């Protein structure tokens, strides 16, 4: 179907998906670019494909809209829209006790969240749990920063206090970060790296005290004393790499 008017009902709806309120209301989100579209297609969550102009795109999907540049610019978040985008249903994952976890407390920067998700997949995390006040997973900047990895790991949004209590009850080792009073992450033995949950926190304030107090150990990354701290995405990546060394992977 070719659409040439911004007054089209579908287009009006899709433009609203830039706003979290409408992503939540419609239970939909937009993805931009061929790589993300192909990854979403594998997960069977695409509802409609949007093509720029009369581009050809063979993915075997029947519901396709052809849009001129001025409409595609309104629908997407990019000044130079890609030739293909898609409207997707939000993914559904349930919390369950299995494997290793990454818990994220109040991460606010979309780029940081996207990068952390990529690292979590790279270093074999089995589930990511977002605090209720972490940035929206379906923010366009988060999605782009994941480079499609949000489709490769279950991600849920939960009350982290409840999650930590449950994981401790189930015998998980729980860790959080502390640059002053923690143990060197490199000193954890292989047993400590099995059935674990790692908790990292907000860019400016770190992990909330009430959550940190529920963790078994606090860990830190040894580094040059000239550097006061690391970006949370960088620190998370290093911690996850170290937790994967000598563990059950």
């Amino acid at each position: 179907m070719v659409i040439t008017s911004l007054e089209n009902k579908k287009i009006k709806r899709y433009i609203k998906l830039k706003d979290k309120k409408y992503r939540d209301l419609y239970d939909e989100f937009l993805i931009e670019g061929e790589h993300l579209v192909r990854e979403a297609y594998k997960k069977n969550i695409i509802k409609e494909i949007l093509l720029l102009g009369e581009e050809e795109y063979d993915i075997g999907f029947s519901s396709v809209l052809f849009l001129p540049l001025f409409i595609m610019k309104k629908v997407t978040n990019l000044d130079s829209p890609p030739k293909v985008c898609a409207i997707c249903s939000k993914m559904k994952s349930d919390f369950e006790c299995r494997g290793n976890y990454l818990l994220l407390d109040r991460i606010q920067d979309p780029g940081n969240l996207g990068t952390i998700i990529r690292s979590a997949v790279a270093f074999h995390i089995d589930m990511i749990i977002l605090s209720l006040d972490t940035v929206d997973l379906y923010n366009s900047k988060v999605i782009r920063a994941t480079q499609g990895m949000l489709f490769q790991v279950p991600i849920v949004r939960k009350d982290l206090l409840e999650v930590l209590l449950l994981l401790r009850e189930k015998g998980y080792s729980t860790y959080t970060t502390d640059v002053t009073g923690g143990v060197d992450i490199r000193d954890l033995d292989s047993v400590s790296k099995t059935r674990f949950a790692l908790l990292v926190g907000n860019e400016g304030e770190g992990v909330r005290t009430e959550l940190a107090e529920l963790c078994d150990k606090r860990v830190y990354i040894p580094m040059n004393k000239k550097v006061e701290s690391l970006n949370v995405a960088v620190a998370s990546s290093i911690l996850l790499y170290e937790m994967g060394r000598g563990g059950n992977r």
Side-chain angles (χ1 to χ4, degrees), residues 98-101 123-126 172 188-197 240-249:
R98 64 177 182 84
N100 297 324
Y101 295 86
F123 301 120
H124 307 292
I125 287 296
D126 297 292
Y172 276 78
L188 294 181
D189 59 30
S190 59
V191 174
S192 301
K193 297 175 181 179
T194 352
R195 281 175 59 84
F196 71 83
L240 291 173
Y241 169 73
E242 288 293 340
M243 291 302 292
R245 295 181 66 207
N248 59 349
R249 300 290 176 182

Side-chain angles (χ1 to χ4, degrees), residues 65-101:
L65 300 183
F66 295 93
L67 308 179
L69 180 60
F70 78 96
I71 294 182
M72 191 69 101
K73 279 186 174 181
K74 289 288 187 180
V75 172
T76 74
N77 295 277
L78 303 171
D79 292 331
S80 300
K83 72 174 186 178
V84 58
C85 297
I87 305 300
C88 300
S89 300
K90 286 187 179 182
M91 296 172 288
K92 306 297 182 185
S93 295
D94 295 322
F95 173 72
E96 54 187 84
C97 285
R98 64 177 182 84
N100 297 324
Y101 295 86

Side-chain angles (χ1 to χ4, degrees), residues 57-248:
Y57 187 67
D58 182 18
I59 198 173
F61 197 81
S62 58
S63 185
V64 178
L65 300 183
F66 295 93
L67 308 179
L69 180 60
F70 78 96
I71 294 182
M72 191 69 101
K73 279 186 174 181
K74 289 288 187 180
V75 172
T76 74
N77 295 277
L78 303 171
D79 292 331
S80 300
K83 72 174 186 178
V84 58
C85 297
I87 305 300
C88 300
S89 300
K90 286 187 179 182
M91 296 172 288
K92 306 297 182 185
S93 295
D94 295 322
F95 173 72
E96 54 187 84
C97 285
R98 64 177 182 84
N100 297 324
Y101 295 86
L102 176 63
L103 281 54
L104 302 178
D105 180 29
R106 299 174 300 156
I107 301 298
Q108 295 303 303
D109 183 85
N112 282 340
L113 178 57
T115 300
I116 291 169
I117 291 170
R118 287 182 70 188
S119 294
V121 175
F123 301 120
H124 307 292
I125 287 296
D126 297 292
M127 178 170 280
I128 299 171
I129 304 173
L130 311 180
S131 68
L132 299 177
D133 43 4
T134 283
V135 64
D136 183 27
L137 173 63
Y138 299 102
N139 177 298
S140 63
K141 292 180 180 178
V142 174
I143 293 170
R144 287 198 296 274
T146 69
Q147 290 292 301
M149 292 302 102
L150 82 161
F151 301 124
Q152 304 302 321
V153 59
I155 304 173
V156 298
R157 190 176 294 269
K158 300 283 286 182
D159 182 323
L160 295 188
L161 188 64
E162 294 178 3
V163 170
L164 279 168
L165 288 170
L166 178 60
L167 290 175
R168 285 170 57 89
E169 181 183 306
K170 297 293 184 180
Y172 276 78
S173 300
T174 52
Y175 304 99
T176 192
T177 55
D178 188 335
V179 295
T180 57
V183 300
D184 188 331
I185 184 71
R186 300 172 302 179
D187 291 339
L188 294 181
D189 59 30
S190 59
V191 174
S192 301
K193 297 175 181 179
T194 352
R195 281 175 59 84
F196 71 83
L198 174 65
L199 168 67
V200 297
N202 176 267
E203 289 87 346
E205 300 176 2
V207 173
R208 282 173 285 178
T209 302
E210 60 267 33
L211 298 178
E213 288 177 347
L214 286 174
C215 293
D216 300 316
K217 284 186 181 178
R218 303 186 184 202
V219 295
Y220 75 92
I221 301 166
M223 57 188 178
N224 191 319
K225 295 188 183 302
K226 296 178 182 178
V227 180
E228 183 179 337
S229 63
L230 293 173
N231 167 277
V232 66
V234 173
S236 298
S237 300
I238 295 170
L239 291 166
L240 291 173
Y241 169 73
E242 288 293 340
M243 291 302 292
R245 295 181 66 207
N248 59 349

